[in-house]
Amino acid sequence: MSQWWEYPALPRGPGERAILKAKAICGGGRTGRLAKPAGPRRSLQLRGAPTLRALTWTFAPTPTSAPAPPAMDSAARDKMQPALPSGSSCPGPEWPEQERAEQLARGAALKWASGIFYRPEQLARLGQYRSREVQRTCSLEARIKSVVQSYLEGVKTGVRQLAWALEAVQGAREALGQAHVLLQGMAEAAQTLEPLREQVVQHKQLQAMSHLLPRLRAVPAALAHTQTLIDAQRLLEAYVSLWELEQLQEETWAPLGGLELPVFEGLGPLAEALGQAVEAAAGAAGRLAREDPALLVAAMRVAEVDAGRTTSLEQAARDWRQRCLRALQEGLERIHFGTPLQPGPGALAEWLEALRVALPAELAAAEALVAPCCPPHYNVVRLWAHTLHSGLRRCLQQLLEGPQLEAADAFTLLHWALHVYLGPEMMGSLELGPEADVSDLEPLLTLENIEQLETIFVAKVQASVAQWLQKALDGDVAEWGREQEPDTDPSGFYHSPMPAIVLQILEENIRVTRMVSESLQRRVHGMALSELSAFLRSFSDALIRFSRDHLRGEATAPHYVPYLLATLNHQSALSSSVSVLQPDWVAPGALAPVEAALDELQRRICLLVLEALLAELQPLFAALPSRRWLSSPELLDDVCERTASFCQDFRHVRDPAVQLLLAEAERTVVLQYLRALMQGRLVCRGADERTQAAERLRHDAAQLRELFLGLVRIWGLEESVQCAPVLLALRELVNLRDPTLLGLEVAGLRQQFPDVSEDHVSALLDLRGDVSREQRLAALSSLQAGPQPSPPAGGRALFSLVPAPAPPLSSCLPSGSCA
């Protein structure tokens, strides 16, 4: 330990005291290194070799912020710091921070000493400072020694305990070695005892076999007896016998160490035979419930008892309960939906009717007879209903996947599946309980199945309807060439059953689909309208061929016009009755195409009738107008007589077709009359002939009017003569005495008949024979004067249908209207 007189004789202030502390910590008052200034304080530990450096970290001085001491040369610094002796415990510098801290502490001490002992009077107190620092240094050293001593004592205690532990481990090692030697000896002894152990096991097996030998000898007889019981359908007794045999097998299995005796080889097939007998009884549950319910109850009891039984043998579960349930379902499906029972072509309706009767009866029998014979958790009625439903559904799916059904079968199946099956006659019967409800199950027919059946039905019905309509038309067309007139009804009208047949076929097909579904009804309704339109087109084509062959002479019809009039009655019957094809749910315009086709057919028939009338009148109108026509009414008398004779057959036509036909006949006669006037065959030579012509026009108009009014009155029709007044208007034009007023008359004619043309007026002026060129031009110019008149309400074109010959070029001036 260094002495105080080894240091310079300076007053000891705080800085020097810090240096002395550091030296004391490093050992014996010698100059040492300061501890690491930064980092956490470390606690004392008893593990590992202790070092004084770990103890000095706690007492490391903190550098002060005192002013730096005066600079000192290196020689003076070395003189003040004594050298460490060899073997000192204070290590050299390990960190730059420690050396810097030591320098700062030394500088602070020097600065403090220089400040304290700067004045001479303070040197007297140097001894006091020295003694106080010596006391503090001694106290610090004592504390350090105490801490190190206690630490060393702890280390000694730890070393002593480690020595004791080492001794204990060595003792345990020796004991384990001895035990290992003993175990090796026992293993060798056990190997010598292995034959004895085998003898013991054999002895136990022989002992067990000796006790069970009487029972084992009876096993073959018991197996045969059990098989006899199974064959006799004494299922409960057979199961008891089988159970006893299986218990004996379990008793022998454990003592023999899992060894199977040959005597039990027939036990597995015997159990399977009993299971098949139970399954067969369950499959015939419906019949047994009526004939032998005891056998069915025995089978159910065997299945239930076996389901709750456990065995120690390593065998798979027999699961006779599930086999019984499957047998119940399969037997029920086999009875009603087996392959031999499925319907053949054309027998679907009978098969469905049989199911309608059989399925409710089966459910009633299940509820009354089968359910009491089965456990309650079988839910027999519900099982029956679901099994019948699923079997029927699968059977119908197979039926739809087979050959395509006929229309009647498709309709029957749709109606039966959608209405009869869930109706009160079958599954919806009030006599069946709620367990038989199948409304929450999948429907018998899916939407795709319904679409398929509806498509098949509509296609088949459409082909059949087209065939029937064609037959009806062919039969009616074949009568057109007969020697007899058309048939009449009691009222005297031409009559044929064809319209009624056509509408009946279509209406019945639409009406019958109401029994199935609205979608099918809409489909069939659209098909009916389409086929009716096609029939009307075929009807019109047949009329055209009939008229063409008659006019060409290829197939002359003795009663051509009467049969045309009969077809007009057909059209009227169809038009008046077509409303039956328009139910309330059909849109108002659905019949528009059919009505348009009927109107076109009526127009075609009227045109053919009027062509026949025109063919008879054309030779008579060839001599009109003429000089003979001016002086005699015979020509028009012949026309009226021929027209009246032709129209006599109109009495067999129903109203309103006859009203239309008379109006068209009148129009045809007047048009032919106008065509004759426009031909320019007659030119009046003077005022007398113009007067005669005017009078003839008036007389002819009155005669034609009387003709058609007479026909209307005879048949009690509405008076609608409208075309004869045109002759009176022409009379005024011909009878005008002052040619200068022709413009006014022509303008009046144009107001009545807006379709009159310059050619028509020119032809009428030629008929007068007294119109000069200037008067003609003035009269023709009046057609262009003023606004274009509008046609009268309900009026039809008249002059535009009359061809007028073009006037000769010599009569036209370059400035005229025809230039």
Side-chain angles (χ1 to χ4, degrees), residues 404-425:
Q404 192 177 63
L405 300 178
E406 295 298 328
D409 290 342
F411 177 84
T412 303
L413 181 56
L414 280 171
H415 177 259
W416 193 89
L418 297 180
H419 299 282
V420 176
Y421 179 69
L422 295 177
E425 298 180 359

Side-chain angles (χ1 to χ4, degrees), residues 538-560:
S538 301
F539 196 2
S540 180
D541 294 341
L543 284 173
I544 294 174
R545 291 193 299 269
F546 173 63
S547 176
R548 182 188 58 200
D549 296 342
H550 174 74
L551 296 178
R552 291 180 181 178
E554 297 178 0
T556 304
H559 301 281
Y560 173 70

Side-chain angles (χ1 to χ4, degrees), residues 177-321:
Q178 295 174 1
H180 180 67
V181 173
L182 292 176
L183 287 174
Q184 289 180 349
M186 292 176 66
E188 294 175 356
Q191 291 179 357
T192 59
L193 294 176
E194 186 66 25
L196 181 60
R197 184 182 295 106
E198 294 178 357
Q199 293 294 329
V200 171
V201 171
Q202 293 178 1
H203 175 73
K204 290 181 178 180
Q205 293 178 355
L206 290 175
Q207 186 179 6
M209 292 293 295
S210 63
H211 289 294
L212 297 174
L213 186 59
R215 298 172 61 187
L216 292 176
R217 288 178 179 175
V219 168
L223 291 174
H225 177 67
T226 305
Q227 183 63 49
T228 303
L229 294 176
I230 295 174
D231 295 338
Q233 295 186 343
R234 297 163 63 181
L235 301 183
L236 285 176
E237 298 178 21
Y239 184 73
V240 171
S241 178
L242 177 66
W243 195 348
E244 293 175 352
L245 290 173
E246 289 177 345
Q247 285 181 337
L248 178 60
Q249 185 183 18
E250 292 181 9
E251 293 176 6
T252 59
W253 183 80
L256 295 180
L259 180 64
E260 290 288 344
L261 295 178
V263 72
F264 294 110
E265 290 180 354
L267 195 58
L270 185 65
E272 181 61 26
L274 180 58
Q276 291 178 358
V278 171
E279 188 174 358
R287 178 180 58 83
L288 293 179
R290 297 180 181 89
E291 300 175 359
D292 191 1
L295 178 58
L296 178 60
V297 172
M300 295 296 104
R301 290 183 62 184
V302 168
E304 288 300 308
V305 172
D306 189 76
R309 181 187 174 190
T310 58
T311 179
S312 60
L313 299 178
E314 298 178 357
Q315 296 177 353
R318 288 193 284 252
D319 202 6
W320 284 356
R321 177 189 292 172

Side-chain angles (χ1 to χ4, degrees), residues 131-173:
S131 61
R132 185 167 50 193
E133 293 299 328
V134 168
Q135 292 177 1
R136 292 179 180 177
T137 301
C138 292
S139 175
L140 182 61
E141 289 177 352
R143 290 171 61 187
I144 292 174
K145 288 180 181 180
S146 176
V147 170
V148 171
Q149 185 65 31
S150 66
Y151 181 75
L152 292 177
E153 290 178 358
V155 170
K156 180 185 286 188
T157 302
V159 171
R160 187 167 51 253
Q161 291 177 354
L162 290 175
W164 291 346
L166 179 61
E167 292 177 358
V169 169
Q170 290 177 352
R173 182 177 181 181

Side-chain angles (χ1 to χ4, degrees), residues 331-589:
L332 191 59
E333 291 184 3
R334 185 170 55 253
I335 292 173
H336 296 283
F337 311 115
T339 303
L341 301 175
Q342 293 186 1
L348 180 61
E350 298 178 1
W351 182 67
L352 294 177
E353 178 62 22
L355 289 179
R356 186 190 66 80
V357 177
L359 296 189
E362 186 69 42
L363 289 174
E367 184 176 6
L369 301 177
V370 181
C373 299
C374 299
H377 62 269
Y378 276 34
N379 293 323
V380 171
V381 178
R382 187 177 184 84
L383 177 66
W384 244 241
H386 289 198
T387 302
L388 291 174
H389 181 82
S390 60
L392 178 59
R393 188 174 186 273
R394 183 169 55 255
C395 186
L396 293 181
Q397 295 295 329
Q398 295 175 357
L399 185 65
L400 293 178
E401 293 174 359
Q404 192 177 63
L405 300 178
E406 295 298 328
D409 290 342
F411 177 84
T412 303
L413 181 56
L414 280 171
H415 177 259
W416 193 89
L418 297 180
H419 299 282
V420 176
Y421 179 69
L422 295 177
E425 298 180 359
M426 286 193 66
M427 310 305 287
S429 175
L430 297 178
E431 298 179 359
L432 300 177
E435 295 181 351
D437 185 17
V438 295
S439 58
D440 57 339
L441 301 180
E442 293 181 345
L444 290 181
L445 299 177
T446 63
L447 295 179
E448 292 77 8
N449 298 145
I450 295 175
E451 177 74 17
Q452 177 186 354
L453 289 173
E454 288 184 355
T455 302
I456 292 174
F457 177 75
V458 172
K460 298 283 187 179
V461 169
Q462 185 172 9
S464 177
V465 166
Q467 184 179 2
W468 278 102
L469 294 183
Q470 188 62 40
K471 287 182 178 180
L473 179 60
D474 293 342
D476 196 74
V477 170
E479 296 180 355
W480 294 350
R482 295 191 310 174
E483 296 292 338
Q484 298 83 9
E485 291 188 356
D487 298 333
T488 59
D489 59 8
S491 300
F493 298 110
Y494 291 141
H495 172 73
S496 172
M498 183 192 69
I501 292 174
V502 170
L503 292 177
Q504 182 180 4
I505 291 174
L506 299 178
E507 194 271 335
E508 284 184 356
N509 281 283
I510 296 174
R511 178 175 49 81
V512 76
T513 54
R514 298 176 186 173
M515 302 169 57
V516 177
S517 64
E518 184 178 349
S519 62
L520 181 61
Q521 190 176 8
R522 291 183 181 276
R523 283 189 170 197
V524 174
H525 180 266
M527 179 275 298
L529 296 184
S530 175
E531 288 301 316
L532 181 56
S533 299
F535 169 77
L536 294 177
R537 289 193 296 270
S538 301
F539 196 2
S540 180
D541 294 341
L543 284 173
I544 294 174
R545 291 193 299 269
F546 173 63
S547 176
R548 182 188 58 200
D549 296 342
H550 174 74
L551 296 178
R552 291 180 181 178
E554 297 178 0
T556 304
H559 301 281
Y560 173 70
V561 174
Y563 277 103
L564 289 179
L565 298 177
T567 59
L568 191 60
N569 276 347
H570 301 345
Q571 186 275 340
S572 299
L574 291 173
S575 297
S576 61
S577 303
V578 74
S579 59
V580 301
L581 302 181
Q582 187 173 7
D584 297 336
W585 49 267
V586 178

Side-chain angles (χ1 to χ4, degrees), residues 22-23 25-26 30-36 53 56 81 84 90-95 98-99 102-103 106:
K23 290 181 179 180
I25 291 173
C26 291
R30 298 181 180 86
T31 302
R33 300 295 182 181
L34 292 177
K36 185 176 180 180
R53 188 183 298 111
T56 58
Q81 180 178 2
L84 290 174
C90 185
E94 295 184 3
W95 304 291
Q98 179 180 356
E99 185 176 357
E102 185 175 354
Q103 292 176 359
R106 190 178 297 278

Side-chain angles (χ1 to χ4, degrees), residues 577-658:
S577 303
V578 74
S579 59
V580 301
L581 302 181
Q582 187 173 7
D584 297 336
W585 49 267
V586 178
L591 295 181
V594 175
E595 292 173 351
L598 287 170
D599 293 341
E600 177 62 23
L601 179 61
Q602 184 186 54
R603 189 190 66 81
R604 175 71 62 184
I605 297 172
C606 289
L607 181 60
L608 295 177
V609 173
L610 296 177
E611 286 179 354
L613 174 61
L614 189 60
E616 294 189 13
L617 297 181
Q618 277 181 347
L620 301 178
F621 279 107
L624 189 151
S626 62
R627 304 294 174 189
R628 181 185 173 191
W629 170 71
L630 289 176
S631 60
S632 174
E634 295 179 359
L635 291 178
L636 192 63
D637 290 343
D638 294 341
V639 170
C640 292
E641 182 181 355
R642 187 70 60 86
T643 302
S645 175
F646 185 88
C647 293
Q648 285 302 315
D649 291 334
F650 289 4
R651 70 181 184 275
H652 300 292
V653 180
R654 291 183 178 275
D655 190 41
V658 65

